[in-house]
Each structure stands twice: as structure tokens, then as C-alpha cells.
Amino acid sequence: MRQIVLDTETTGLEPEQGHRVVELACVEILNRRVTDRHLHLYLNPDRDSDPEALRVHGLTTEFLSGHPRFPEVARQLVDFVRDAEVIIHNAAFDVKFLNAELRRAGLPPFTELCGKVTDSLMVAREMFPGKRNNLDALCERFGISNAHRTLHGALLDSELLGEVWLAMTRGQDSLLGEASDEAVDAGAGAASAHGRFDASGLPVIQVAEQASQAHEAYLDGLDKAAGRPCLWRQIDRPVELEAHEAAG
């Protein structure tokens, strides 16, 4: 399961008004683990940022003028997100900017390049209706430190959102749970390297007679209380159960 957490910074609020992406970051999550693979790009927008946007991200026109334009690096984004689930906080905002940039570069819309887009803001609103669900609020709610977030930055915000997303979705993947991730990884590696595990060679350890008698006595008590064989015996000795029911 490959997921990409994505964030952008822009010169303003509306691509229809000529605003552009100035920073783009993607952080990879593979099988619910943040990997060391990420994509981080500063982009030359060929224009100034609105004062409000500049106060948010602090990326000046002078700084950005030394970086590539989106069409020059668009293929890096396409290759990084290909077939993955992309998680974005307030996805509609980022996707409309990405679509505008991709269109200028002669590429398909963003949703055609990745597996699917998941809006983590919408998920948070369903989980916590009526509460603040911006990134800072979610970090506080899940005990994730964001003290170093003095300005918005696409890479930092993607890293924080990755931690928030894993905390929000913990326990939803399988009955194995988070605590067994190491065992799952080890088992997957062993299976791929050696094929299906054969347990026929494992030693069989017999239960001591005293322990076996105590177990049977305990089951007898359960049978008596229930007026019929207990569940353990229904599973353990189905043939005896059928004989018991037939006799009854």
C-alpha cells in the first residue's frame, strides 16, 4: 500500500487569476510507514506572491527566481505520485493549482496521474464534527509536536500531515494492529524469500497430565453450568458433540 502525502504553497488563492505554485512537497508512506523518500521542489512562478501569501510561506520572488519553472520538473511529480493514493489536506485547493500547472505543461489532470486523491480534511471533519480541523489543531489533538512550524512550508507540512494521517487512521487496516507491524514485515520478507511456510517440521510439545486433567475438570464445570458441552468442546471435539446431541 503506497500513499503520498502532498502539500503546496502558492502565490495566492486562485489559479484563474494567474496565481502559481511556488513550493511542492510529497512524502511517501509505504505499508503505513513513512519512508525516507520524498520530493521537494521550489518553483519560479514568474510573478510576485500576494502579501497575505508571502506572510504565510515567506518565499520571496528573489529566492524563487533561482529555481526551475514547473514544466521543467513536472515529470518528477508525475513519476513520484504514479498509481499511489495521494493524501492532501483541503485537497480541492491544491488539486486546482496542480491541474492549472499541469495544463500549462501539456499534461493530464492530477487525478489521472495518481491512483486516487483522499482529502484528509474531509476525513477529519467526519471524525471530529464541529471542531477545528486544520493541521495545527490536529497536531495538538494527536499529540504531534509542531513547535518548529513558524511558517507554512510544503515539506514540513507534508511530514506533519503524514504523522497526523497515521494517527487518524490507526487500527483501520487489519486485525493485526499497529503493534504487529514488525512481525508482518518479517513474515512478508520470509514468505517472498522462501515461499509458503511449512509447519510440519515443528516439534509437538505434549501437555503435562496434571495440566490436562485440570483443564478437563474446568471444562466439566462449564458443561454443567451450561447444560451442554461448552464452546471449547464444540470446536475441539465436534464428533463427540454430535454423539452427545444425538443421545440427548
Side-chain angles (χ1 to χ4, degrees), residues 4 8-9 23 25 38 52 87 106 112 116 123 137 149 151-152 154 168 170 179 223 247:
I4 302 298
T8 65
E9 298 297 336
E23 186 184 7
H38 67 266
E52 296 81 2
I87 299 159
E112 295 182 17
K116 71 172 183 175
V123 175
R149 190 185 187 230
L151 288 172
H152 287 224
M168 284 172 58
R170 183 172 291 123
D223 291 350

Side-chain angles (χ1 to χ4, degrees), residues 91-130:
F93 178 85
D94 297 81
V95 169
K96 72 179 180 180
F97 269 95
L98 290 171
N99 284 343
E101 296 289 358
L102 289 164
R103 185 168 55 250
R104 292 188 186 96
L107 292 168
F110 186 73
T111 52
E112 295 182 17
L113 302 175
C114 60
K116 71 172 183 175
V117 173
T118 297
D119 190 342
S120 53
L121 177 59
M122 299 301 293
V123 175
R125 284 174 174 170
E126 291 179 4
M127 293 178 68
F128 310 107

Side-chain angles (χ1 to χ4, degrees), residues 42-57:
Y42 291 111
L43 302 164
N44 180 358
D46 288 315
R47 59 160 295 161
D48 294 336
S49 293
D50 282 356
E52 296 81 2
L54 185 60
R55 280 195 292 271
V56 169
H57 56 63

